[in-house]
Amino acid sequence: MQGIILINLVLLVTWFTIRFIIRKKNFLFKIIWLVDLTFILYAGSVFGMYILSMPYAEAIRLDGFDRYMSSVVILDLFIGAMALAIAIDQSFFEQRFEKRDLRSFSSIITKNLYQMSAFLLLIFSIIMMYSESNGIKFTNHISQNELPVQLTRISRPQTKLNQKKYCWLIRILRTWIVIMQVMWAATTTLLTN
């Protein structure tokens, strides 16, 4: 939840800066609504999954909820970063990319603002991704004694092929192996001669 709040804050500050300080229209306020809508819809779908398809022992304690929610935070971070890059690019004084240079900004203030915001957004994105990956690592470390992990330790899942059910598959695989061996032998014979 803190990640979405930070993404919203960065988008809102950038929208305000471009709209009222640089005095150019932008679409970042709509992106804030999009980010919040994706977060709410994803949280609702995860809640539905916990109600409908999770075992009661896991659902009552919301096991793995942080792991599920961190994926939508990373998605929203990506959406926000792309929207910020486009909005900042459209707020340049010079719109033709091939004509841009160090003097393409309307003033030294907007040049410094662009440089500082790009640097801060880079640091912010790295910290967010690092935080999410550490949260997943921490959750995996804490859940070492949970029921699904204990069950896989007690009895390893095994798959045993039934000869009657998969007989056609075994015949196809054997035929394919024989064909590949013949092709390999023919290729090596042709290459050596």
Side-chain angles (χ1 to χ4, degrees):
M1 186 70 175
Q2 297 91 354
I4 293 298
I5 293 171
L6 287 174
I7 293 170
N8 281 339
L9 183 66
V10 168
L11 288 173
L12 190 63
V13 167
T14 309
W15 171 79
F16 184 81
T17 303
I18 293 173
R19 180 73 176 112
F20 295 109
I21 295 176
I22 300 175
R23 298 183 198 270
K24 291 200 176 192
K25 291 184 178 181
N26 61 42
F27 58 91
L28 289 179
F29 203 73
K30 294 176 185 174
I31 297 297
I32 293 171
W33 285 102
L34 176 70
V35 164
D36 291 342
L37 183 67
T38 57
F39 183 78
I40 289 169
L41 288 176
Y42 188 81
S45 67
V46 168
F47 180 67
M49 180 189 69
Y50 272 91
I51 289 174
L52 299 173
S53 65
M54 292 286 280
Y56 180 75
E58 293 179 36
I60 196 70
R61 293 190 324 221
L62 293 177
D63 285 342
F65 185 76
D66 293 334
R67 185 176 66 229
Y68 290 119
M69 293 311 291
S70 67
S71 62
V72 78
V73 169
I74 292 173
L75 172 71
D76 286 341
L77 177 64
F78 177 73
I79 291 170
M82 291 298 108
L84 277 175
I86 292 168
I88 290 172
D89 186 58
Q90 290 174 349
S91 68
F92 275 133
F93 184 70
E94 177 64 53
Q95 289 298 312
R96 292 170 295 181
F97 184 74
E98 64 274 359
K99 298 277 185 178
R100 289 184 186 164
D101 61 0
L102 292 175
R103 299 166 205 239
S104 294
F105 297 91
S106 61
S107 68
I108 193 71
I109 295 170
T110 56
K111 179 181 179 289
N112 287 338
L113 187 65
Y114 171 73
Q115 288 177 333
M116 288 304 295
S117 63
F119 181 69
L120 290 174
L121 287 173
L122 175 71
I123 290 174
F124 172 72
S125 299
I126 291 171
I127 289 171
M128 285 280 297
M129 286 188 253
Y130 190 68
S131 170
E132 292 298 326
S133 65
N134 278 344
I136 292 171
K137 232 186 252 187
F138 176 75
T139 303
N140 288 340
H141 178 70
I142 292 297
S143 66
Q144 289 297 319
N145 294 323
E146 300 296 324
L147 184 63
V149 178
Q150 288 179 357
L151 287 176
T152 56
R153 283 189 209 142
I154 294 170
S155 65
R156 298 272 178 213
Q158 295 180 0
T159 305
K160 192 171 187 180
L161 290 177
N162 185 350
Q163 292 296 329
K164 293 177 185 175
K165 189 173 183 179
Y166 297 104
C167 187
W168 60 272
L169 180 63
I170 293 171
R171 279 192 221 123
I172 291 172
L173 287 175
R174 285 182 184 162
T175 307
W176 184 73
I177 290 172
V178 169
I179 291 170
M180 294 306 288
Q181 287 174 343
V182 169
M183 288 176 63
W184 179 257
T187 306
T188 55
T189 306
L190 287 172
L191 291 176
T192 56
N193 290 334

